Short mmCIF file of all heavy atoms in Angstrom, two decimals:
data_model
loop_
_atom_site.label_atom_id
_atom_site.label_comp_id
_atom_site.label_asym_id
_atom_site.label_seq_id
_atom_site.Cartn_x
_atom_site.Cartn_y
_atom_site.Cartn_z
N MET S 17 34.03 -1.93 114.87
CA MET S 17 33.70 -2.00 113.55
C MET S 17 32.93 -3.33 113.30
O MET S 17 32.14 -3.45 112.48
CB MET S 17 34.95 -1.91 112.62
CG MET S 17 34.51 -2.07 111.18
SD MET S 17 35.89 -1.54 110.27
CE MET S 17 35.56 -2.50 108.79
N LEU S 18 33.30 -4.44 114.01
CA LEU S 18 32.58 -5.55 113.81
C LEU S 18 31.07 -5.54 114.21
O LEU S 18 30.31 -6.32 113.57
CB LEU S 18 33.26 -6.74 114.57
CG LEU S 18 34.59 -7.11 114.10
CD1 LEU S 18 35.24 -8.18 115.04
CD2 LEU S 18 34.63 -7.66 112.72
N SER S 19 30.72 -4.57 115.03
CA SER S 19 29.34 -4.43 115.42
C SER S 19 28.60 -4.02 114.17
O SER S 19 27.32 -4.30 114.07
CB SER S 19 29.22 -3.49 116.51
OG SER S 19 29.69 -2.27 116.20
N TYR S 20 29.26 -3.32 113.27
CA TYR S 20 28.52 -2.93 111.98
C TYR S 20 28.46 -4.06 111.04
O TYR S 20 27.37 -4.16 110.35
CB TYR S 20 29.33 -1.78 111.24
CG TYR S 20 29.26 -0.53 111.93
CD1 TYR S 20 30.49 0.23 112.39
CD2 TYR S 20 28.04 0.22 112.24
CE1 TYR S 20 30.41 1.39 112.99
CE2 TYR S 20 28.07 1.48 112.90
CZ TYR S 20 29.24 1.99 113.23
OH TYR S 20 29.16 3.29 113.88
N LEU S 21 29.45 -4.84 111.04
CA LEU S 21 29.42 -5.91 110.05
C LEU S 21 28.57 -7.14 110.44
O LEU S 21 27.98 -7.81 109.68
CB LEU S 21 30.86 -6.40 109.78
CG LEU S 21 31.76 -5.44 109.14
CD1 LEU S 21 33.17 -5.85 109.00
CD2 LEU S 21 31.23 -4.95 107.77
N LYS S 22 28.58 -7.42 111.79
CA LYS S 22 27.82 -8.59 112.25
C LYS S 22 27.10 -8.10 113.58
O LYS S 22 27.61 -8.42 114.65
CB LYS S 22 28.75 -9.76 112.49
CG LYS S 22 28.00 -10.95 112.82
CD LYS S 22 28.90 -12.27 112.77
CE LYS S 22 28.02 -13.48 112.93
NZ LYS S 22 28.89 -14.68 112.68
N PRO S 23 26.00 -7.42 113.43
CA PRO S 23 25.43 -6.96 114.68
C PRO S 23 24.58 -8.00 115.37
O PRO S 23 24.27 -8.95 114.89
CB PRO S 23 24.43 -5.90 114.12
CG PRO S 23 24.11 -6.33 112.72
CD PRO S 23 25.43 -6.98 112.25
N GLN S 24 24.46 -7.74 116.67
CA GLN S 24 23.63 -8.65 117.57
C GLN S 24 22.15 -8.61 117.14
O GLN S 24 21.41 -9.66 117.00
CB GLN S 24 23.75 -8.48 118.94
CG GLN S 24 25.23 -8.57 119.45
CD GLN S 24 25.66 -10.03 119.39
OE1 GLN S 24 24.84 -10.93 119.59
NE2 GLN S 24 26.90 -10.23 119.19
N LYS S 25 21.66 -7.41 116.91
CA LYS S 25 20.36 -7.27 116.48
C LYS S 25 20.24 -6.70 115.01
O LYS S 25 21.09 -5.95 114.66
CB LYS S 25 19.61 -6.22 117.49
CG LYS S 25 19.59 -6.67 118.89
CD LYS S 25 19.00 -5.60 119.74
CE LYS S 25 19.04 -6.02 121.24
NZ LYS S 25 18.49 -5.11 122.14
N THR S 26 19.27 -7.12 114.27
CA THR S 26 19.21 -6.65 112.94
C THR S 26 18.22 -5.56 112.67
O THR S 26 17.66 -5.37 111.65
CB THR S 26 18.88 -7.81 112.02
OG1 THR S 26 17.59 -8.41 112.48
CG2 THR S 26 19.92 -8.94 112.06
N GLU S 27 17.96 -4.66 113.70
CA GLU S 27 17.04 -3.65 113.65
C GLU S 27 17.49 -2.55 112.71
O GLU S 27 16.72 -1.97 111.97
CB GLU S 27 16.63 -3.05 114.99
CG GLU S 27 16.12 -4.11 115.87
CD GLU S 27 16.01 -3.63 117.31
OE1 GLU S 27 16.45 -2.45 117.57
OE2 GLU S 27 15.49 -4.36 118.19
N ASN S 28 18.76 -2.14 112.78
CA ASN S 28 19.22 -0.97 112.15
C ASN S 28 20.24 -1.26 111.02
O ASN S 28 21.23 -0.71 110.86
CB ASN S 28 19.96 -0.07 113.13
CG ASN S 28 18.94 0.47 114.17
OD1 ASN S 28 17.77 0.75 113.92
ND2 ASN S 28 19.41 0.63 115.39
N ILE S 29 19.94 -2.27 110.14
CA ILE S 29 20.87 -2.61 109.17
C ILE S 29 21.05 -1.53 108.09
O ILE S 29 22.16 -1.23 107.64
CB ILE S 29 20.26 -3.88 108.31
CG1 ILE S 29 20.25 -5.14 109.26
CG2 ILE S 29 21.07 -4.18 107.03
CD1 ILE S 29 21.68 -5.57 109.65
N GLU S 30 19.94 -0.83 107.74
CA GLU S 30 20.08 0.27 106.83
C GLU S 30 20.97 1.43 107.32
O GLU S 30 21.75 1.97 106.63
CB GLU S 30 18.59 0.76 106.46
CG GLU S 30 17.83 -0.07 105.68
CD GLU S 30 17.04 -1.16 106.57
OE1 GLU S 30 16.97 -0.78 107.79
OE2 GLU S 30 16.55 -2.15 106.04
N LYS S 31 20.68 1.78 108.54
CA LYS S 31 21.60 2.82 109.31
C LYS S 31 22.97 2.42 109.24
O LYS S 31 23.85 3.24 108.89
CB LYS S 31 20.99 3.01 110.64
CG LYS S 31 21.79 4.13 111.35
CD LYS S 31 21.39 4.18 112.89
CE LYS S 31 22.30 4.91 113.60
NZ LYS S 31 22.21 4.75 115.10
N ASN S 32 23.30 1.23 109.64
CA ASN S 32 24.69 0.75 109.71
C ASN S 32 25.31 0.61 108.32
O ASN S 32 26.54 0.95 108.10
CB ASN S 32 24.83 -0.68 110.40
CG ASN S 32 24.43 -0.51 111.84
OD1 ASN S 32 24.52 0.44 112.46
ND2 ASN S 32 24.09 -1.69 112.34
N LEU S 33 24.53 0.30 107.28
CA LEU S 33 25.06 0.33 105.91
C LEU S 33 25.39 1.62 105.48
O LEU S 33 26.43 1.83 104.82
CB LEU S 33 24.01 -0.30 104.98
CG LEU S 33 24.42 -0.44 103.46
CD1 LEU S 33 25.60 -1.42 103.37
CD2 LEU S 33 23.23 -1.02 102.69
N ARG S 34 24.57 2.72 105.76
CA ARG S 34 24.90 4.02 105.35
C ARG S 34 26.15 4.58 106.05
O ARG S 34 26.98 5.24 105.45
CB ARG S 34 23.71 4.96 105.76
CG ARG S 34 22.61 4.95 104.71
CD ARG S 34 21.53 5.95 105.06
NE ARG S 34 20.33 5.22 105.17
CZ ARG S 34 19.55 5.26 106.22
NH1 ARG S 34 19.88 5.91 107.26
NH2 ARG S 34 18.46 4.53 106.20
N VAL S 35 26.32 4.17 107.27
CA VAL S 35 27.55 4.62 108.14
C VAL S 35 28.78 3.96 107.46
O VAL S 35 29.83 4.55 107.25
CB VAL S 35 27.48 4.12 109.56
CG1 VAL S 35 28.73 4.40 110.24
CG2 VAL S 35 26.36 4.94 110.21
N LEU S 36 28.64 2.71 107.07
CA LEU S 36 29.78 2.04 106.36
C LEU S 36 30.18 2.58 105.05
O LEU S 36 31.27 2.81 104.65
CB LEU S 36 29.66 0.51 106.18
CG LEU S 36 29.88 -0.33 107.48
CD1 LEU S 36 29.39 -1.79 107.22
CD2 LEU S 36 31.34 -0.23 107.86
N GLU S 37 29.12 2.91 104.30
CA GLU S 37 29.32 3.53 102.96
C GLU S 37 29.94 4.89 103.04
O GLU S 37 30.73 5.33 102.14
CB GLU S 37 27.99 3.57 102.15
CG GLU S 37 27.51 2.19 101.71
CD GLU S 37 26.12 2.29 101.09
OE1 GLU S 37 25.38 3.29 101.20
OE2 GLU S 37 25.82 1.16 100.52
N GLU S 38 29.64 5.61 104.14
CA GLU S 38 30.26 7.03 104.27
C GLU S 38 31.72 6.89 104.63
O GLU S 38 32.44 7.71 104.23
CB GLU S 38 29.58 7.66 105.44
CG GLU S 38 28.13 8.22 105.06
CD GLU S 38 27.43 8.83 106.32
OE1 GLU S 38 28.01 8.80 107.40
OE2 GLU S 38 26.28 9.09 106.14
N LYS S 39 32.12 5.78 105.25
CA LYS S 39 33.56 5.62 105.72
C LYS S 39 34.34 4.73 104.49
O LYS S 39 35.44 4.31 104.86
CB LYS S 39 33.57 4.93 107.05
CG LYS S 39 33.05 5.73 108.10
CD LYS S 39 33.19 4.97 109.46
CE LYS S 39 32.50 5.87 110.55
NZ LYS S 39 32.66 5.19 111.80
N LYS S 40 33.75 4.58 103.40
CA LYS S 40 34.32 3.68 102.49
C LYS S 40 35.72 4.26 102.06
O LYS S 40 36.69 3.47 101.90
CB LYS S 40 33.33 3.59 101.26
CG LYS S 40 33.80 2.56 100.17
CD LYS S 40 32.74 2.62 99.03
CE LYS S 40 33.12 1.63 98.05
NZ LYS S 40 32.03 1.51 97.03
N ASP S 41 35.91 5.54 101.83
CA ASP S 41 37.18 6.09 101.45
C ASP S 41 38.16 5.84 102.45
O ASP S 41 39.28 5.57 102.13
CB ASP S 41 36.96 7.62 101.08
CG ASP S 41 36.10 7.80 99.88
OD1 ASP S 41 36.15 7.00 98.94
OD2 ASP S 41 35.50 8.86 99.84
N GLN S 42 37.81 6.03 103.75
CA GLN S 42 38.86 5.87 104.78
C GLN S 42 39.22 4.38 104.86
O GLN S 42 40.47 4.11 104.98
CB GLN S 42 38.25 6.23 106.12
CG GLN S 42 37.86 7.67 106.36
CD GLN S 42 37.20 7.97 107.55
OE1 GLN S 42 36.72 7.04 108.30
NE2 GLN S 42 36.92 9.15 107.94
N MET S 43 38.35 3.51 104.67
CA MET S 43 38.73 2.12 104.77
C MET S 43 39.57 1.65 103.51
O MET S 43 40.54 0.87 103.66
CB MET S 43 37.35 1.21 104.79
CG MET S 43 36.64 1.38 106.10
SD MET S 43 35.05 0.60 106.06
CE MET S 43 35.65 -1.19 106.13
N THR S 44 39.25 2.31 102.45
CA THR S 44 40.04 1.92 101.14
C THR S 44 41.51 2.42 101.35
O THR S 44 42.52 1.68 101.01
CB THR S 44 39.44 2.65 99.95
OG1 THR S 44 38.13 2.13 99.83
CG2 THR S 44 40.12 2.25 98.71
N GLY S 45 41.62 3.60 101.89
CA GLY S 45 43.00 4.14 102.20
C GLY S 45 43.84 3.26 103.14
O GLY S 45 44.89 2.97 102.99
N LEU S 46 43.03 2.82 104.17
CA LEU S 46 43.67 1.98 105.21
C LEU S 46 44.13 0.65 104.52
O LEU S 46 45.17 0.09 104.75
CB LEU S 46 42.74 1.79 106.33
CG LEU S 46 43.33 1.12 107.50
CD1 LEU S 46 44.51 1.97 108.10
CD2 LEU S 46 42.22 0.93 108.58
N LEU S 47 43.28 0.05 103.75
CA LEU S 47 43.53 -1.26 103.03
C LEU S 47 44.79 -1.03 102.10
O LEU S 47 45.67 -1.91 102.02
CB LEU S 47 42.37 -1.77 102.26
CG LEU S 47 41.28 -2.34 103.17
CD1 LEU S 47 40.09 -2.70 102.23
CD2 LEU S 47 41.72 -3.57 103.87
N ASN S 48 44.78 0.05 101.38
CA ASN S 48 46.01 0.40 100.55
C ASN S 48 47.29 0.50 101.29
O ASN S 48 48.24 -0.08 100.97
CB ASN S 48 45.63 1.66 99.73
CG ASN S 48 46.60 1.77 98.62
OD1 ASN S 48 47.18 0.90 98.10
ND2 ASN S 48 46.70 3.13 98.23
N TYR S 49 47.16 1.18 102.50
CA TYR S 49 48.34 1.38 103.38
C TYR S 49 48.86 0.04 103.80
O TYR S 49 50.08 -0.31 103.60
CB TYR S 49 47.98 2.20 104.58
CG TYR S 49 49.06 2.25 105.56
CD1 TYR S 49 50.19 3.06 105.41
CD2 TYR S 49 48.96 1.40 106.67
CE1 TYR S 49 51.07 3.01 106.42
CE2 TYR S 49 49.93 1.49 107.66
CZ TYR S 49 51.03 2.27 107.50
OH TYR S 49 52.04 2.21 108.45
N TYR S 50 48.01 -0.85 104.25
CA TYR S 50 48.45 -2.16 104.68
C TYR S 50 48.94 -3.07 103.62
O TYR S 50 49.86 -3.89 103.69
CB TYR S 50 47.45 -2.89 105.53
CG TYR S 50 47.37 -2.38 106.96
CD1 TYR S 50 46.32 -1.57 107.49
CD2 TYR S 50 48.43 -2.59 107.83
CE1 TYR S 50 46.31 -1.08 108.76
CE2 TYR S 50 48.38 -2.14 109.11
CZ TYR S 50 47.30 -1.40 109.59
OH TYR S 50 47.34 -0.95 110.81
N CYS S 51 48.35 -2.88 102.40
CA CYS S 51 48.78 -3.65 101.31
C CYS S 51 50.21 -3.40 101.02
O CYS S 51 51.09 -4.26 100.85
CB CYS S 51 48.01 -3.39 100.01
SG CYS S 51 48.47 -4.21 98.58
N TRP S 52 50.60 -2.13 100.83
CA TRP S 52 51.92 -1.65 100.59
C TRP S 52 52.89 -2.02 101.73
O TRP S 52 54.13 -2.32 101.52
CB TRP S 52 52.00 -0.28 100.20
CG TRP S 52 51.48 -0.01 98.86
CD1 TRP S 52 50.27 0.60 98.57
CD2 TRP S 52 52.06 -0.40 97.59
NE1 TRP S 52 50.09 0.58 97.21
CE2 TRP S 52 51.21 0.00 96.69
CE3 TRP S 52 53.21 -0.96 97.27
CZ2 TRP S 52 51.47 -0.17 95.27
CZ3 TRP S 52 53.55 -1.23 95.94
CH2 TRP S 52 52.68 -0.85 94.91
N PHE S 53 52.41 -1.83 103.04
CA PHE S 53 53.24 -2.16 104.14
C PHE S 53 53.67 -3.59 104.13
O PHE S 53 54.80 -3.86 104.34
CB PHE S 53 52.43 -1.77 105.48
CG PHE S 53 53.10 -2.19 106.69
CD1 PHE S 53 54.14 -1.36 107.13
CD2 PHE S 53 52.71 -3.33 107.43
CE1 PHE S 53 54.82 -1.64 108.28
CE2 PHE S 53 53.34 -3.59 108.60
CZ PHE S 53 54.42 -2.83 109.06
N PHE S 54 52.78 -4.58 103.98
CA PHE S 54 53.08 -6.05 104.02
C PHE S 54 53.80 -6.30 102.83
O PHE S 54 54.77 -7.23 102.85
CB PHE S 54 51.81 -6.84 104.26
CG PHE S 54 51.32 -6.73 105.57
CD1 PHE S 54 50.02 -6.16 105.77
CD2 PHE S 54 52.04 -7.18 106.66
CE1 PHE S 54 49.58 -6.12 107.12
CE2 PHE S 54 51.51 -7.11 107.92
CZ PHE S 54 50.31 -6.61 108.16
N LYS S 55 53.61 -5.79 101.67
CA LYS S 55 54.36 -6.01 100.45
C LYS S 55 55.82 -5.57 100.63
O LYS S 55 56.77 -6.26 100.23
CB LYS S 55 53.78 -5.26 99.25
CG LYS S 55 54.51 -5.54 97.92
CD LYS S 55 53.85 -5.03 96.74
CE LYS S 55 54.56 -5.31 95.42
NZ LYS S 55 53.86 -4.74 94.30
N GLY S 56 55.94 -4.52 101.30
CA GLY S 56 57.33 -3.99 101.59
C GLY S 56 58.04 -4.85 102.58
O GLY S 56 59.21 -5.22 102.40
N MET S 57 57.28 -5.42 103.57
CA MET S 57 57.88 -6.39 104.46
C MET S 57 58.34 -7.59 103.78
O MET S 57 59.45 -8.21 104.13
CB MET S 57 56.91 -6.64 105.64
CG MET S 57 56.77 -5.56 106.70
SD MET S 57 55.55 -5.95 107.94
CE MET S 57 56.30 -7.33 108.65
N TYR S 58 57.59 -8.12 102.90
CA TYR S 58 57.81 -9.37 102.14
C TYR S 58 59.10 -9.19 101.28
O TYR S 58 59.97 -9.97 101.24
CB TYR S 58 56.68 -9.79 101.29
CG TYR S 58 56.91 -10.93 100.53
CD1 TYR S 58 56.85 -12.25 101.05
CD2 TYR S 58 57.08 -10.82 99.12
CE1 TYR S 58 57.09 -13.31 100.27
CE2 TYR S 58 57.32 -11.92 98.35
CZ TYR S 58 57.34 -13.25 98.89
OH TYR S 58 57.63 -14.28 98.15
N GLU S 59 59.14 -8.03 100.65
CA GLU S 59 60.26 -7.86 99.66
C GLU S 59 61.54 -7.46 100.34
O GLU S 59 62.55 -7.78 99.89
CB GLU S 59 59.92 -6.65 98.70
CG GLU S 59 58.86 -7.09 97.64
CD GLU S 59 58.48 -5.98 96.66
OE1 GLU S 59 59.09 -4.95 96.75
OE2 GLU S 59 57.61 -6.18 95.89
N PHE S 60 61.49 -6.96 101.64
CA PHE S 60 62.66 -6.66 102.46
C PHE S 60 63.24 -8.02 102.88
O PHE S 60 64.49 -8.10 103.06
CB PHE S 60 62.27 -5.76 103.62
CG PHE S 60 63.46 -5.45 104.49
CD1 PHE S 60 64.35 -4.54 104.03
CD2 PHE S 60 63.59 -5.99 105.78
CE1 PHE S 60 65.48 -4.15 104.89
CE2 PHE S 60 64.63 -5.70 106.59
CZ PHE S 60 65.58 -4.76 106.14
N LYS S 61 62.43 -9.00 103.15
CA LYS S 61 62.91 -10.26 103.66
C LYS S 61 63.81 -10.87 102.67
O LYS S 61 64.91 -11.25 102.84
CB LYS S 61 61.62 -11.15 103.76
CG LYS S 61 61.97 -12.48 104.31
CD LYS S 61 60.58 -13.29 104.34
CE LYS S 61 60.83 -14.68 104.48
NZ LYS S 61 59.58 -15.45 104.48
#
């Protein structure tokens, strides 16, 4: 995933941006999962 965010070559920036935008929902769900996961760990402490 870092290759999309910080590529070695800047030839396909538009293509990489489209790919990231298509996966936006998946990334949002994953961020939401980890947010609740770490919040639960903190409150359990």
